[in-house]
């Protein structure tokens, strides 16, 4: 009997190259008929359990851009990122989703927007200044930004007909992995990175520090590069905050939190946070008003340890300390 092989990171990477498949970070997705080709969805992640596709996915599929996702009420105070992979095998695509790193997308957003702003401020200057801007922005963009949360994933099975070849078709899978990060968290990290990288001897110093302060105060959107009228540090109207922390032995830790809409821990999570929670880190989430079920996973286990329900109301903060028996509940 053949043993089922397990995909390692190296094997997946090699597979990307061998198959000529790459991760798509910013794409226009469409189910419309292409020239000579037509797509038909055969199944998706929710088919078996009759679960509806999450709103972030349907919005992205319909509009083909991340701006539309960030405009949704649930994410208007967060930067959103979607990684996408296509391949002939579902396990291959799901391996991509498990190992996907959002850092490249975060860096590209910072690189594009900050460079454009600094170059606009120095328009007409010498080419040397433009090169200095590029070097400075690369240093900032190569910072490792923490705080991004894996909020969900979705896959679908596609049959693509080629009408130019007498109806020949190809079957493949597409998987999408969704990450978000609070704008306040990202803005603070980028502002700090800019101030750290800025040299007082540089002609860019004054405009760099000025831009860093605007970003820190939430007066600059890293996605659009435009000023915003409301500070990103202020919580969105109609949202409440959940916080969760632990004082237990750090060798035993919360490895994942899943937050579900409603009173049951089932279906597609509203939010997934895979940043480990140990005594040195308190996790916080801003959530729209409503009923939620928060499920905890410990020490990298795939099995849920326990969950608690909470009714989020606007403007209130609900916190919970993980007790020594790992039980928890939320209180104002």
């Amino acid at each position: 009997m053949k043993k089922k092989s397990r995909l390692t990171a190296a094997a997946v990477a090699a597979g990307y190259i061998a198959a000529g498949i790459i991760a798509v970070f910013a794409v226009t997705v469409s189910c419309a008929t292409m020239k000579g080709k037509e797509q038909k969805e055969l199944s998706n992640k929710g088919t078996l359990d009759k679960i509806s596709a999450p709103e972030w996915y349907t919005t992205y599929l319909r509009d083909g851009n991340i701006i539309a996702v960030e405009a949704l009420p649930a994410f208007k105070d967060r930067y959103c990122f979607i990684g996408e992979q296509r391949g002939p095998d579902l396990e291959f695509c799901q391996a991509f989703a498990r190992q996907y790193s959002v850092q490249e997308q975060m860096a590209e957003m910072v690189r594009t927007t900050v460079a454009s702003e600094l170059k606009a401020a120095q328009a007409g200057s010498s080419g040397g200044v433009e090169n200095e801007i590029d070097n400075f922005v690369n240093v900032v963009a190569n910072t490792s930004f923490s705080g991004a949360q894996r909020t969900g994933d979705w896959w679908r099975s596609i049959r693509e007909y080629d009408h130019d070849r007498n109806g020949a078709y190809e079957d493949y899978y597409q998987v999408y992995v969704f990450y978000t990060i609070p704008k306040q968290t990202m803005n603070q990290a980028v502002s700090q990175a800019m101030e750290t990288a800025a040299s007082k001897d540089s002609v860019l110093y004054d405009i760099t520090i000025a831009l860093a302060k605007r970003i820190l105060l939430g007066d600059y959107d890293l996605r659009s590069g435009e000023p915003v009228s409301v500070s990103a540090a202020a919580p969105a109207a109609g949202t409440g905050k959940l916080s969760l922390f632990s004082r237990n032995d750090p060798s035993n830790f919360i490895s994942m939190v899943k937050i579900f809409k409603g009173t049951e821990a089932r279906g597609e999570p509203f939010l997934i946070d895979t940043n480990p929670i140990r005594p040195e880190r308190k996790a916080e989430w801003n959530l729209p008003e409503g009923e939620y079920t928060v499920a905890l996973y410990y020490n990298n286990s795939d099995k849920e340890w326990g969950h608690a329900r909470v009714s989020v109301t606007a403007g209130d903060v609900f916190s919970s300390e993980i007790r020594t028996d790992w039980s928890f509940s939320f209180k104002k």
Side-chain angles (χ1 to χ4, degrees):
M1 179 183 295
K2 271 188 180 177
K3 291 185 178 179
K4 187 175 181 181
S5 61
R6 298 188 62 177
L7 290 174
T8 64
V12 171
Y16 290 166
I17 297 170
I21 301 171
I22 62 171
V24 181
F25 298 120
V27 298
T28 299
V29 183
S30 174
C31 283
T33 302
M34 298 177 290
K35 184 180 179 181
K37 294 185 179 181
E38 181 183 357
Q39 295 178 340
K40 178 181 178 182
E41 182 172 292
L42 303 178
S43 62
N44 59 51
K45 182 179 178 178
T47 299
L48 187 61
D49 295 325
K50 297 182 180 179
I51 299 171
S52 298
E55 190 177 20
W56 63 263
Y57 164 79
T58 56
T59 301
Y60 182 66
L61 199 67
R62 181 194 67 219
D63 293 353
N65 65 75
I66 203 66
I67 301 297
V69 179
E70 291 183 341
L72 294 172
F75 309 116
K76 64 180 181 179
D77 285 328
R78 305 178 79 88
Y79 296 117
C80 300
F81 306 91
I82 294 178
E84 181 183 346
Q85 178 65 51
R86 166 177 166 167
D89 180 78
L90 179 58
E91 184 179 356
F92 176 83
C93 290
Q94 289 178 322
F96 160 82
R98 288 193 299 270
Q99 299 177 28
Y100 174 73
S101 172
V102 73
Q103 287 294 320
E104 184 172 345
Q105 284 199 63
M106 296 168 77
E108 187 58 31
M109 180 180 73
V110 172
R111 181 180 289 108
T112 300
T113 311
V114 174
S116 296
E117 182 72 14
L118 294 179
K119 287 178 181 180
Q122 289 291 306
S125 300
S126 65
V129 172
E130 187 166 309
N131 291 337
E132 186 174 345
I133 290 174
D134 289 337
N135 293 334
F136 169 78
V137 171
N138 283 333
V139 171
V140 174
N142 286 334
T143 302
S144 181
F145 300 110
S146 61
Q149 301 163 356
R150 177 167 167 167
T151 309
D153 63 76
W154 196 256
W155 62 261
R156 61 178 183 153
S157 171
I158 297 294
R159 175 163 291 177
E160 185 174 281
Y161 295 91
D162 187 344
H163 297 301
D164 291 337
R165 296 173 53 212
N166 297 322
Y169 65 84
E170 174 189 9
D171 289 345
Y172 59 87
Y173 290 88
Q174 284 182 311
V175 65
Y176 306 83
V177 57
F178 182 43
Y179 276 79
T180 68
I181 182 171
K183 288 186 177 181
Q184 178 187 1
T185 301
M186 184 74 180
N187 285 5
Q188 287 176 342
V190 172
S191 176
Q192 183 178 356
M194 290 178 66
E195 291 186 355
T196 301
S199 170
K200 291 185 177 181
D201 298 329
S202 171
V203 295
L204 302 174
Y205 183 77
D206 288 340
I207 62 171
T208 297
I209 296 302
L211 179 58
K213 288 180 178 178
R214 287 176 59 196
I215 293 171
L216 179 63
L217 295 173
D219 192 34
Y220 190 83
D221 189 283
L222 290 168
R223 176 71 70 190
S224 65
E226 298 176 355
V228 291
S229 57
V230 180
S231 170
T239 64
K241 178 177 287 185
L242 292 187
S243 66
L244 190 64
F245 60 98
S246 170
R247 291 196 176 96
N248 290 327
D249 185 335
S251 63
N252 293 312
F253 62 97
I254 304 166
S255 51
M256 180 167 59
V257 178
K258 291 184 179 181
I259 301 178
F260 299 84
K261 278 189 173 180
T263 57
E264 295 184 42
R266 66 185 303 272
E268 180 72 13
F270 175 78
L271 184 149
I272 301 174
D273 190 338
T274 55
N275 291 320
I277 302 175
R278 293 185 171 91
E280 67 272 13
R281 177 190 177 239
K282 178 171 74 172
E284 293 183 333
W285 309 279
N286 288 318
L287 300 174
E289 281 191 327
E291 298 288 333
Y292 295 90
T293 301
V294 181
L296 304 187
Y297 297 76
Y298 296 96
N299 299 337
N300 295 318
S301 172
D302 292 330
K303 184 178 180 181
E304 176 200 320
W305 180 272
H307 59 262
R309 299 182 181 92
V310 59
S311 181
V312 174
T313 50
D316 288 327
V317 177
F318 300 83
S319 62
S320 179
E321 179 179 354
I322 306 300
R323 294 183 278 268
T324 54
D325 62 355
W326 295 102
S327 61
F328 71 108
S329 60
F330 288 95
K331 297 179 182 179
K332 283 188 184 179

